[in-house]
């Protein structure tokens, strides 16, 4: 079983999560849920704070499985999948109900990261932002996302690479799919 953390007894005034469909009513339910997440293949860390869960997987190939499991848990509010462990991560993807990214975006990001593992990305339904090793990889990821249906209108892409000048490429998810 992977490492797991749970924060018990958060008072209602400090809750950070959106209201989940079904809440976790007891600490034992919350412990069982985080332990179940920790047993998923390739999970390095599972964390539960109030009704928000973060799962970190070792490899990008395991992102889709972790996302599928999280989407099947209506008692959770915010839901995030990271590639990494409790000390470091390279990709963070928001898959929260009603505001997270689509399965299509998750698959596009996971596939790209498998081929380009040194990326640092944060992916939400409104923004894909990160640092990539080279200008060519930034352009390739932007092109891939432009061919992926957007999760929301104006879902932006901002990608930088370490050239010392703060240079970036930017665009919109799904823009290559728009016909005029």
């Amino acid at each position: 079983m992977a490492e797991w953390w749970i924060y018990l007894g958060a008072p209602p005034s400090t809750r950070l999560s959106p209201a989940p469909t079904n809440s976790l009513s007891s600490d034992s339910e919350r412990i069982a849920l985080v332990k179940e997440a920790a047993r998923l293949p390739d999970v390095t860390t599972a964390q539960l704070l109030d009704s928000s869960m973060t799962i970190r997987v070792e490899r990008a190939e395991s992102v889709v499985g972790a996302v599928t499991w999280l989407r099947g848990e209506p008692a959770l509010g915010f839901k995030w999948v990271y590639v990494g462990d409790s000390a470091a991560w390279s990709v963070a993807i928001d898959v929260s109900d009603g505001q997270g990214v689509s399965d299509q975006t998750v698959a596009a990001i996971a596939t790209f990261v498998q081929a380009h593992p040194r990326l640092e990305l944060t992916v939400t339904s409104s923004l894909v932002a990160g640092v990539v090793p080279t200008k060519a990889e930034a352009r390739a990821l932007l092109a891939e996302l432009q061919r992926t249906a957007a999760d929301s209108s104006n879902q932006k892409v901002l990608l930088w690479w370490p050239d010392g000048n703060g240079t970036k490429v930017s665009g919109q998810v799904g823009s290559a799919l728009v016909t005029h």
Side-chain angles (χ1 to χ4, degrees):
M1 179 186 306
E3 174 180 354
W4 59 274
W5 304 346
I6 187 168
Y7 301 92
L8 298 173
S13 63
T14 63
R15 292 192 174 150
L16 305 172
S17 303
T21 307
N22 302 312
S23 63
L24 299 167
S25 61
S26 71
D27 287 344
S28 61
E29 287 177 325
R30 297 171 75 216
I31 291 168
L33 187 66
V34 76
K35 282 182 170 182
E36 185 179 342
R39 287 186 189 99
L40 293 172
D42 205 31
V43 168
T44 60
T45 307
Q47 293 176 261
L48 183 62
L49 171 60
D50 192 23
S51 64
S52 297
M53 183 168 279
T54 300
I55 295 176
R56 296 175 190 235
V57 295
E58 187 173 352
R59 296 181 318 267
E61 300 90 283
S62 302
V63 166
V64 172
V67 167
T68 300
W69 185 86
L70 278 171
R71 290 197 197 274
E73 293 299 329
L76 296 173
F78 290 121
K79 303 172 185 182
W80 285 80
V81 173
Y82 288 68
V83 177
D85 57 30
S86 62
W89 59 270
S90 59
V91 178
I93 304 172
D94 178 6
V95 295
S96 304
D97 297 342
Q99 64 191 27
V101 299
S102 68
D103 288 341
Q104 187 175 1
T105 301
V106 168
I109 294 292
T111 300
F112 196 88
V113 172
Q114 287 175 42
H116 307 271
R118 297 180 324 148
L119 306 178
E120 294 179 15
L121 296 173
T122 298
V123 183
T124 71
S125 63
S126 62
L127 179 66
V128 177
V131 177
V132 297
T134 67
K135 181 178 183 178
E137 286 174 300
R139 288 185 170 165
L141 179 54
L142 176 61
E144 178 65 31
L145 290 170
Q146 288 174 328
R147 293 186 300 269
T148 302
D151 296 315
S152 64
S153 62
N154 301 317
Q155 185 181 18
K156 294 181 178 18
V157 181
L158 300 171
L159 301 169
W160 291 265
W161 57 93
D163 67 353
N165 295 324
T167 311
K168 70 178 179 192
V169 295
S170 61
Q172 289 201 227
V173 177
S175 61
L177 302 175
V178 176
T179 58
H180 299 283

